[in-house]
Amino acid sequence: MSAVMSQSNDGDGRSRVSLAELIALRTRVGRAKLAALVSRSARSGQQSSRLYGRGMDYAESRVYQAGDDVRRLDWRLTARSGKLHTKLFQEDREGSLLILVDTHSSMRFGTRVRFKSVQAARSAACAAWYAARAGERVGVMAFGQADSLLGPQAGPRGALAVCGALAEWDARPTSDRTESLADALTRANRLRCGASRVLLISDGFSANTFSGDVSTRQRLLDLSRHTAVSVLVVADALEVALVPPGRYPLEQTGERTEVILQSERQRRDFQRAIGAGPARLGELAQSLGLRWGNVDTTADPFDAVIGVLGARRSA
């Protein structure tokens, strides 16, 4: 296994985001078959959305969550199950996707092909091009070292703006600024710009490490009451699988170190520690019933992105 790649500012697509590559990803979206998309905010257009309201077609019922409108209670299902349930309704409207991209220093790490930060940007670009093709407006919000917001815009121009923002944020000098995932989700809920869907792209290390990650869990629940939330977990190969026995040189923030991993226990403990963020975020998304997936730094992010956004590959 090679050492972690050194950082540079040349936009090589490995340690730094390449704007040309993000734009070129537009061609990948042409092979995606559009599917019905889910949301919970008012919109108009070709996609199907899930909303609260009257005078709309009934879609389904789910267990009542704090903050739900009591006028939308499904009394028949409540009586049968003994638990409060809320009705959800469908209406055809135009969509809007807001992509949340983690820019913490933990994302500037990679042992295979590229940094997690570069893979996150590639994933966000795929999502932006897909949303534009589906007729949705698309925007992006950075959290971590960058804390900027680009409001949703329509068409290819909106996707191009997202690609430009991703490249610009990645090119900024590194800083010590941090923002917990819980705080970022609170900000996204406040500034979601009417987005009907939110896609979170992160390695999970910005989530709280306290037992159960209660704060992040609550913020995800709060956001999912207003919009459909999907999660894409970005991880390095070193964070998701056991490595063979050996000596592994690593570099971070200019400091080099060597990790010696011989026994299976050493390798498992190392993988568990270094992969704690991605594992925690994936478990959290799954426990909340959110649509989620993962992608490592060696993969083409297209399938993972389309999977969490609900589309299928065409033949």
Side-chain angles (χ1 to χ4, degrees):
M1 179 175 294
S2 62
V4 174
M5 298 172 290
S6 62
Q7 297 185 35
S8 66
N9 294 310
D10 58 4
D12 57 7
R14 292 168 60 82
S15 61
R16 287 292 187 181
V17 170
S18 165
L19 178 57
E21 181 183 19
L22 300 188
I23 295 173
L25 287 170
R26 179 179 185 177
T27 60
R28 300 287 285 116
V29 177
R31 286 176 288 189
K33 182 177 179 180
L34 298 183
L37 304 176
V38 179
S39 74
R40 291 189 189 136
S41 68
R43 54 190 187 134
S44 61
Q46 64 177 350
Q47 300 289 335
S48 174
S49 107
R50 185 175 298 166
L51 307 109
Y52 297 105
R54 295 177 178 173
M56 293 177 282
D57 294 334
Y58 169 76
E60 64 178 351
S61 294
R62 62 159 169 76
V63 175
Y64 175 85
Q65 296 176 357
D68 286 351
D69 190 336
V70 294
R71 294 173 298 178
R72 310 292 186 253
L73 291 178
D74 186 335
W75 293 110
R76 291 185 179 180
L77 184 54
T78 295
R80 291 199 304 269
S81 66
K83 296 182 179 180
L84 286 175
H85 280 72
T86 300
K87 289 183 178 180
L88 303 178
F89 298 84
Q90 294 224 3
E91 185 177 89
D92 289 332
R93 297 176 180 249
E94 181 192 36
S96 178
L97 172 67
L98 180 63
I99 306 168
L100 309 185
V101 179
D102 193 336
T103 64
H104 281 93
S105 59
S106 66
M107 298 292 289
R108 294 190 182 277
F109 176 85
T111 62
R112 286 289 189 272
V113 183
R114 57 183 62 88
F115 278 2
K116 290 184 289 182
S117 55
V118 174
Q119 188 69 312
R122 297 172 78 237
S123 301
C126 282
W129 289 119
Y130 172 74
R133 179 169 179 257
E136 293 184 288
R137 294 178 297 119
V138 60
V140 61
M141 187 190 97
F143 66 98
Q145 294 196 355
D147 62 349
S148 304
L149 171 69
L150 177 69
Q153 302 177 43
R157 179 175 297 181
L160 279 171
V162 168
C163 292
L166 292 167
E168 191 273 322
W169 295 337
D170 183 78
R172 293 179 182 177
T174 58
S175 70
D176 295 329
R177 187 185 184 282
T178 61
E179 181 179 20
S180 72
L181 181 55
D183 288 343
L185 292 169
T186 298
R187 183 159 60 94
N189 201 10
R190 186 178 71 253
L191 304 174
R192 65 180 185 276
C193 306
S196 53
R197 296 190 295 156
V198 167
L199 171 62
L200 169 64
I201 303 176
S202 172
D203 65 359
F205 283 104
S206 55
N208 296 333
T209 58
F210 303 111
S211 177
D213 198 13
V214 176
S215 182
T216 302
R217 173 183 292 272
Q218 187 59 51
R219 298 294 84 77
L220 275 171
L221 278 174
D222 292 343
L223 185 59
S224 66
R225 293 190 182 108
H226 302 286
T227 185
V229 179
S230 300
V231 178
L232 183 63
V233 183
V234 181
D236 179 70
L238 205 64
E239 297 170 339
V240 296
L242 289 182
V243 297
R247 297 171 177 263
Y248 296 94
L250 300 177
E251 179 181 344
Q252 189 171 17
T253 62
E255 296 185 5
R256 292 178 177 271
T257 186
E258 185 177 66
V259 178
I260 302 174
L261 303 173
Q262 296 296 341
S263 70
E264 181 176 345
R265 179 176 179 180
Q266 287 177 324
R267 289 181 287 132
R268 287 193 181 281
D269 289 345
F270 178 77
Q271 189 276 321
R272 189 178 297 111
I274 199 170
R280 182 167 59 246
L281 183 56
E283 291 168 0
L284 180 59
Q286 184 172 4
S287 70
L288 293 175
L290 302 178
R291 194 176 197 114
W292 77 283
N294 53 64
V295 62
D296 67 44
T297 57
T298 68
D300 178 346
F302 181 82
D303 287 316
V305 170
I306 299 306
V308 297
L309 290 181
R312 302 183 300 275
R313 289 290 294 271
S314 58

